[in-house]
Amino acid sequence: MGNERSTRFEELYEAHLGHVTGYVRRRTGDADDAADVIAETFLVAWRRLDDVPPGEKARFYLYGVARRTLANLHRGQRRHRDLTAKIGRNLAADLAAAPIPDPEYPEISAAFGALPEDDRELLALASWEGLDNGQIATVLGVTRNAVRIRLHRARRRLARELERRGAGHLVARASAAPSAAKPDHLAPSGKAGSA
């Protein structure tokens, strides 16, 4: 019985894959979506093989399954777009209602903004998110030692940028990285001192 079922499905698949593929591809522009719909169509056919009519009628049955699968895909995409738009609108409203305060140390903010993106991300993960080297390594997908070296270099570049801007007296403040740093400050609070 199992072999008969497998043989019937293989024959169905070979006879109608091209038809189903054409049907689906003409109705969706995305190759990944098309592949998913085709796979789902034949999965349904396998599960409900006893319901699949014989001969040429099988193609029309498969078209019906593909049509319903496409409809589900499009509904899901619409829901996803609608939800994304709603979340975006709510987030924009929330952010507009709570403007970012001026940084306590604009010199640090300017120097931080002048750094390369990779340096800013490392320093932000250490200061704003309060992550240690091991945690940063997990986020970035690198070794703990690589984080230690890169973080040291990023802090040196920040110090040089502060010196270049005549704000060398803020180097100690900008280089510290306590776990409780707040994101509305580019540098943690603490005792300012000279480097």
Side-chain angles (χ1 to χ4, degrees):
M1 184 76 171
N3 282 345
E4 282 179 29
R5 184 176 172 79
S6 294
T7 301
R8 178 158 186 244
F9 180 77
E10 288 170 15
E11 289 170 356
L12 179 75
Y13 185 82
E14 287 175 20
H16 298 292
L17 176 62
H19 298 296
V20 172
T21 299
Y23 178 91
V24 171
R25 286 305 304 242
R26 286 186 287 275
R27 286 159 178 80
T28 182
D30 185 272
D32 290 333
D33 287 346
D36 289 345
V37 169
I38 294 164
E40 181 66 23
T41 298
F42 281 99
L43 180 61
V44 169
W46 169 255
R47 287 183 184 149
R48 304 192 59 187
L49 195 57
D50 293 338
D51 296 337
V52 179
E56 188 63 17
K57 289 183 180 179
R59 177 164 48 116
F60 309 126
Y61 176 89
L62 293 170
Y63 283 172
V65 173
R67 181 175 174 275
R68 289 185 293 279
T69 304
L70 280 164
N72 288 339
L73 172 72
H74 293 142
R75 266 194 304 279
Q77 289 172 335
R78 273 194 306 276
R79 280 195 301 268
H80 181 265
R81 277 194 308 272
D82 293 346
L83 182 60
T84 300
K86 180 179 177 182
I87 290 171
R89 285 190 305 272
N90 291 345
L91 185 57
D94 291 347
L95 291 174
I100 298 172
D102 289 335
E104 185 177 349
Y105 298 96
E107 304 92 337
I108 296 174
S109 183
F112 181 84
L115 294 175
E117 175 66 27
D118 289 346
D119 285 355
R120 291 195 312 266
E121 181 64 10
L122 270 170
L123 293 169
L125 287 170
S127 294
W128 295 352
E129 311 309 331
L131 303 185
D132 65 28
N133 289 0
Q135 294 164 330
I136 294 171
T138 300
V139 171
L140 299 180
V142 298
T143 66
R144 185 183 186 103
N145 192 48
V147 169
R148 185 183 59 76
I149 293 166
R150 291 178 190 177
L151 194 53
H152 174 73
R153 291 176 181 164
R155 286 179 174 146
R156 278 196 352 226
R157 283 190 280 272
L158 178 59
R160 281 197 302 270
E161 188 62 34
L162 283 166
E163 292 286 347
R164 188 182 76 71
R165 293 169 180 272
H169 62 287
L170 295 173
V171 168
R173 180 174 298 280
S175 296
S179 61
K182 294 182 181 178
D184 58 342
H185 295 42
L186 287 173
S189 58
K191 213 174 191 181
S194 56

